[in-house]
Amino acid sequence: MANQAYPLFEKIAPKNTTQRCLDITILYLLISLIVYRILNLSSHGFTWLLAFLCESWFAFLWLLILNAKWSPLKYRTYPEHLLEMVPELPPVDMFVTTADAVLEPPILTINTVLSLLAVDYPSQKLACYVSDDGCSPLTFYSLLEASKFAKLWIPFCNKYNIQVRAPFRYFSREYISLAANSSFQFQQEWTKMKDEYEQLSGKIEAAAQKTVPCELKGEFAVFSDTQRNNHPTIIKVIWDNKEDLSQGFPHLIYISREKRPKHPHHFKAGAMNVLTRVSGLMTNAPFMLNVDCDMYVNNPQIIMHAMSLLLGTKKEKDCGFVQCPQKFYDGPKDDPFGNQLVVLGEYLALGIVGIQGPFYAGTGCFHRRKIICGLWPDDEGNEGTQLTSTDGKSADQDLIMKFGKSNELIQSVSHALKGRVDYSRDLKNSIEAAHQVAGCGYEYGTSWGTKVGWIYGSVVEDILTGLRIHSKGWRSTCISPDPPAFLGCAPSGGPASMTQQKRWATGLLEVLFSQNSPIFGTLTGKLQFRQCLAYIWIHTWGLRSIPELCYAALPAYCLISNSNFMPKVHEPAIYILVALFSIYQLYTLSEYLRTGLTIRAWWNNQRMDRIVITGARLFGVLSVITKFLGISETVFEVTKKEQPTSSDGDGDDAEVGRFTFDESPIFVPGTTILLVQLTALTLSLLGLQPPAHNGNGSGLVEVLCSVWVVLCFLPFLKGLYEKGKYGIPLSTIYKSAALALLFVYLSRRISMR
């Protein structure tokens, strides 16, 4: 704990009076609309009831959003005080995870690793562990080559105080780099480093073109008889900082955990638990940082910023983990795929910080090892997990049941829970024990994945693990330094974006309908009620697809059947709808403009919300249903990462930002919605509607609603006429056309009753 003569951080609560007033106004209009529906339910038919149910769900969601936004909070850190207030900086273990050398190019991974190795923190306090779940010799080869470059890169960064320490980003901005220091010596060294990095990139690119990157002998012999999902544990100490130099090269360890076909491996959560156990045997740092392979360090002082929070809190309970917001580099202009999450992080996420703390986002997060090892807040200061032995070799049975049969691991966990630091100096002495705890059968009969480590049971292991931590009563904090802590690459194109959203929706619903639900966290644990509501908001992302799909279909149904689901233009209730629509659109637009984004970015996000919710998230719901029915199991689908280039990525290329398609059924709902709306508008314009019942026929409002839906699905309209990856495949069009015809037929049949 730090001496508090100087503050290491402060809390800032932004004023949001105007936002609160608008939030309440929108909620009031939603409730007014629902009351109007109830009062007129008896004089209208099926469409009125369906609209009432959908709008009730939207009002519930807005209430959840209002709760999450209500009390925003920011943290400002003062890392410059840290060395004065803390006697000795603590060690940190850094984890990098990669799963597929094709979808996640090794050049991305090594840039992330190089940026971590070069952070502004004593190198003898750091260890970097790279988990390769693809067991790729190419990834290992790339790390070996990168370690040679790192011996030049780290001193260069330290000597000239380089701020951007991912080489591919640093050397893509030549004009900035040279302007920072124009001395002749710097220019010479800069040119040398750039040449060295280009040679490194060339080697990795050349190796990637081969079936096998190099001869499988020597260090690579272990890869000679391996398959992606069938191989033994591979642990390689690429660099051991035996000299204990503060300005040297941190430990670098490669890990590919054992995998066998009949053994579940629990996706990324399983990899993180292996990293936790192996690092516990080798370095056992009290703090752990985990980042995805595409998230490089953008602020070299980020560990100092994080330690300001972790060491500066009076009670550890108030800072269980520190989450850095996800931000992205080289995103296409105006966020055409709606996945850069700028407004979400600026407004809604800050509000959640002010409740019990931000969600764990799976990357860019600093953890306390003792919490990952199962410590409860009530045990603070009383972490005396003791080992008992009868013959000097066997550990206490309860600890074996919890942590497994490795005496060495139990000893390291005991030290971690007590807050002791037993930083090993000879990593190779731990290799044999590390192989044991990285085995695919080590976790059987233990608490790993249930009570200890990253929690199993969902493909969103990050949200689930953070929820478990919050349910124990821990709080979390968020740090947003300038420049941003980490930058990553957002998915580009339609398929990658939709795949990622489907995975999120699937995993979140798995958690919601399990024993780990946030509802149980509040009823039986210590999850705060408002935090529970915030979790429910994110966990119901998938469920929103059903009312959204129904609401999108209502205008078309009404035009086809000549019925209505909206008040007539001359009715006073129309003002409620006009006010609600106008205020909401202007309110969301103002959020984008205040964050420096454009009107086009706002519109792109609005339409992508409709596309994602009715497509990707709908398939997430179907995936969970098939899992619960025992028809299939959910699969972790790795999102394709784009390989970095040497350009600045200004996003002006004509092809950047264009929506792309593939033959995945995930595009069928969006295509069907578009075809249904076009058919309905055509029937309405041609006057081919059946007679209206009781004068409740469709009108101008239904036409405008249908046009709005078509505008939201404009990328699909363009896709009907485009070719190649920018065009919708014929198989998808045929399936969608059949579904659209079925919808029209059923709508006409229902209207005749």
Side-chain angles (χ1 to χ4, degrees):
M1 189 62 62
N3 184 327
Q4 292 301 307
Y6 295 99
L8 296 180
F9 70 91
E10 67 173 319
K11 298 179 182 180
I12 302 171
K15 294 182 179 180
N16 62 340
T17 306
T18 303
Q19 176 186 299
R20 288 181 176 182
C21 291
L22 289 171
D23 287 339
I24 294 174
T25 300
I26 293 172
L27 181 63
Y28 171 76
L29 290 171
L30 281 166
I31 294 173
S32 300
L33 179 60
I34 292 170
V35 171
Y36 168 74
R37 294 282 189 196
I38 294 173
L39 294 176
N40 293 273
L41 205 55
S42 59
S43 59
H44 293 78
F46 162 74
T47 56
W48 209 261
L49 175 62
L50 186 57
F52 162 72
L53 294 175
C54 293
E55 288 158 0
S56 297
W57 177 260
F58 299 150
F60 171 68
L61 284 181
W62 187 254
L63 189 62
L64 296 181
I65 292 173
L66 190 150
N67 161 75
K69 284 185 173 182
W70 195 255
S71 50
L73 182 67
K74 294 182 179 180
Y75 288 88
R76 177 179 296 164
T77 53
Y78 301 101
E80 63 273 15
H81 297 162
L82 193 60
L83 294 177
E84 301 174 17
M85 311 310 299
V86 178
E88 184 179 4
L89 293 174
V92 179
D93 288 339
M94 304 179 292
F95 301 156
V96 180
T97 51
T98 183
D100 191 310
V102 176
L103 296 178
E104 299 172 332
I107 192 69
L108 278 175
T109 303
I110 67 157
N111 269 279
T112 296
V113 170
L114 287 169
S115 68
L116 286 169
L117 296 175
V119 291
D120 190 3
Y121 201 79
S123 63
Q124 79 274 21
K125 302 284 186 177
L126 297 174
C128 182
Y129 295 83
V130 180
S131 170
D132 175 20
D133 253 14
C135 192
S136 169
L138 175 60
T139 301
F140 180 59
Y141 170 82
S142 301
L143 284 172
L144 280 177
E145 294 299 322
S147 68
K148 301 173 186 176
F149 174 76
K151 295 172 187 176
L152 302 174
W153 176 245
I154 296 173
F156 175 75
C157 291
N158 291 333
K159 181 177 180 180
Y160 294 105
N161 192 27
I162 304 301
Q163 293 302 299
V164 179
R165 302 196 177 185
F168 86 97
R169 290 291 290 171
Y170 178 68
F171 292 119
S172 70
R173 300 180 175 185
E174 180 173 349
Y175 62 95
I176 296 177
S177 305
L178 291 176
N181 190 328
S182 57
S183 70
F184 178 71
Q185 182 184 6
F186 171 79
Q187 292 188 31
Q188 278 191 317
E189 293 193 39
W190 186 93
T191 302
K192 177 184 176 182
M193 291 305 306
K194 189 172 188 294
D195 292 341
E196 291 286 346
Y197 178 68
E198 288 177 349
Q199 290 179 26
L200 170 64
S201 300
K203 287 182 180 179
I204 294 174
E205 185 176 346
Q209 302 303 316
K210 302 176 183 177
T211 305
V212 179
C214 59
E215 290 188 62
L216 299 182
K217 57 175 65 173
E219 286 280 6
F220 295 88
V222 69
F223 293 96
S224 60
D225 190 24
T226 60
Q227 299 174 8
R228 179 184 174 85
N229 289 310
N230 188 12
H231 60 83
T233 297
I234 301 174
I235 300 177
K236 298 285 187 179
V237 178
I238 296 177
W239 183 258
D240 185 351
N241 185 8
K242 294 181 179 180
E243 292 79 12
D244 209 20
L245 300 175
S246 62
Q247 297 294 320
F249 191 153
H251 300 305
L252 179 60
I253 301 97
Y254 170 90
I255 301 171
S256 185
R257 58 186 171 128
E258 181 185 15
K259 283 188 177 181
R260 300 301 177 191
K262 295 184 179 180
H263 291 260
H265 55 83
H266 303 293
F267 314 116
K268 183 180 174 181
M272 292 301 299
N273 283 338
V274 168
L275 285 170
T276 302
R277 295 196 294 270
V278 171
S279 66
L281 292 171
M282 289 187 164
T283 48
N284 206 32
F287 300 102
M288 304 181 294
L289 162 65
N290 87 278
V291 294
D292 288 342
C293 64
D294 64 320
M295 300 289 291
Y296 71 85
V297 177
N298 186 62
N299 186 324
Q301 281 227 314
I302 182 54
I303 299 183
M304 298 290 283
H305 283 282
M307 289 303 142
S308 298
L309 285 168
L310 290 164
L311 303 178
T313 50
K314 294 181 179 179
K315 294 182 179 180
E316 291 183 351
K317 177 181 179 180
D318 294 330
C319 187
F321 61 84
V322 177
Q323 177 65 58
C324 301
Q326 289 199 44
K327 296 182 181 293
F328 305 97
Y329 63 86
D330 286 356
K333 185 179 180 182
D334 297 325
D335 193 10
F337 307 110
N339 52 21
Q340 295 177 25
L341 310 177
V342 176
V343 171
L344 184 70
E346 182 66 25
Y347 295 104
L348 205 144
L350 277 185
I352 298 173
V353 172
I355 307 175
Q356 199 175 342
F359 305 146
Y360 169 36
T363 182
C365 188
F366 292 83
H367 292 276
R368 296 183 189 271
R369 185 181 290 271
K370 61 173 70 174
I371 296 178
I372 296 298
C373 289
L375 184 73
W376 286 68
D378 296 340
D379 296 331
E380 279 189 72
N382 188 32
E383 304 96 336
T385 301
Q386 298 294 327
L387 296 179
T388 60
S389 60
T390 56
D391 57 4
K393 295 182 179 180
S394 59
D396 182 85
Q397 190 63 30
D398 290 339
L399 293 173
I400 292 176
M401 292 293 291
K402 190 171 185 179
F403 299 109
K405 295 181 179 180
S406 169
N407 288 344
E408 294 88 346
L409 178 62
I410 293 174
Q411 188 72 39
S412 74
V413 169
S414 176
H415 288 183
L417 293 174
K418 295 175 185 177
R420 290 171 53 184
V421 178
D422 50 346
Y423 207 62
S424 174
R425 300 306 177 190
D426 191 349
L427 303 185
K428 294 186 178 180
N429 287 341
S430 306
I431 291 288
E432 184 177 347
H435 273 80
Q436 179 189 359
V437 301
C440 60
Y442 181 80
E443 294 180 349
Y444 288 153
T446 71
S447 295
W448 287 99
T450 56
K451 297 179 181 179
V452 174
W454 273 254
I455 308 302
Y456 301 152
S458 171
V459 292
V460 288
E461 78 298 321
D462 45 7
I463 292 288
L464 178 53
T465 302
L467 172 57
R468 177 63 66 88
I469 293 172
H470 282 140
S471 296
K472 289 182 176 181
W474 296 99
R475 294 181 60 88
S476 57
T477 57
C478 180
I479 183 172
S480 302
D482 185 22
F486 303 94
L487 291 180
C489 57
S492 61
S497 299
M498 299 288 272
T499 296
Q500 184 183 68
Q501 291 284 346
K502 176 193 171 186
R503 185 178 75 238
W504 288 349
T506 301
L508 292 167
L509 279 177
E510 286 176 328
V511 177
L512 182 65
F513 295 112
S514 72
Q515 61 183 4
N516 294 309
S517 171
I519 297 173
F520 295 133
T522 297
L523 295 177
T524 62
K526 297 182 178 181
L527 186 68
Q528 295 179 16
F529 177 69
R530 286 187 59 205
Q531 188 79 0
C532 174
L533 294 180
Y535 269 111
I536 289 175
W537 166 75
I538 193 173
H539 283 290
T540 54
W541 275 7
L543 291 181
R544 183 175 177 177
S545 61
I546 299 172
E548 188 92 19
L549 185 62
C550 292
Y551 213 67
L554 271 173
Y557 174 82
C558 290
L559 292 176
I560 294 169
S561 62
N562 200 13
S563 56
N564 74 311
F565 79 108
M566 290 291 186
K568 298 296 182 182
V569 175
H570 62 271
E571 295 179 18
I574 195 67
Y575 295 111
I576 298 176
L577 284 163
V578 172
L580 179 59
F581 180 82
S582 302
I583 292 174
Y584 177 76
Q585 299 302 332
L586 291 173
Y587 173 68
T588 55
L589 175 60
S590 70
E591 289 184 328
Y592 280 81
L593 296 178
R594 279 181 284 158
T595 54
L597 299 176
T598 63
I599 296 177
R600 187 176 182 84
W602 164 78
W603 170 244
N604 287 339
N605 278 261
Q606 294 299 303
R607 65 172 176 77
M608 279 304 300
D609 272 354
R610 309 286 78 75
I611 292 171
V612 165
I613 292 171
T614 56
R617 294 184 188 172
L618 177 64
F619 271 81
V621 173
L622 296 176
S623 179
V624 172
I625 291 174
T626 57
K627 176 184 177 180
F628 287 162
L629 293 177
I631 298 174
S632 66
E633 287 293 326
T634 52
V635 177
F636 188 96
E637 299 174 89
V638 179
T639 306
K640 180 176 175 58
K641 311 297 193 303
E642 296 296 330
Q643 187 162 339
T645 65
S646 60
S647 66
D648 241 352
D650 56 13
D652 291 333
D653 187 83
E655 304 301 317
V656 173
R658 292 181 64 186
F659 201 87
T660 56
F661 300 87
D662 60 17
E663 295 187 354
S664 169
I666 208 167
F667 295 106
V668 171
T671 309
T672 303
I673 291 172
L674 175 67
L675 294 178
V676 164
Q677 302 295 337
L678 294 176
T679 304
L681 287 169
T682 301
L683 292 175
S684 176
L685 291 173
L686 296 177
L688 300 177
Q689 299 166 297
H693 294 286
N694 302 323
N696 291 326
S698 60
L700 177 62
V701 181
E702 281 73 27
V703 172
L704 292 176
C705 288
S706 187
V707 171
W708 177 260
V709 176
V710 171
L711 290 175
C712 289
F713 286 85
L714 198 58
F716 284 78
L717 183 60
K718 294 178 180 178
L720 291 175
Y721 305 101
E722 295 280 0
K723 294 183 179 180
K725 65 179 181 179
Y726 302 112
I728 302 175
L730 284 177
S731 59
T732 301
I733 294 176
Y734 293 151
K735 294 172 187 174
S736 301
L739 290 173
L741 289 174
L742 179 62
F743 180 88
V744 173
Y745 171 76
L746 293 175
S747 299
R748 296 299 289 263
R749 291 284 295 179
I750 293 172
S751 67
M752 293 177 184
R753 293 183 179 180

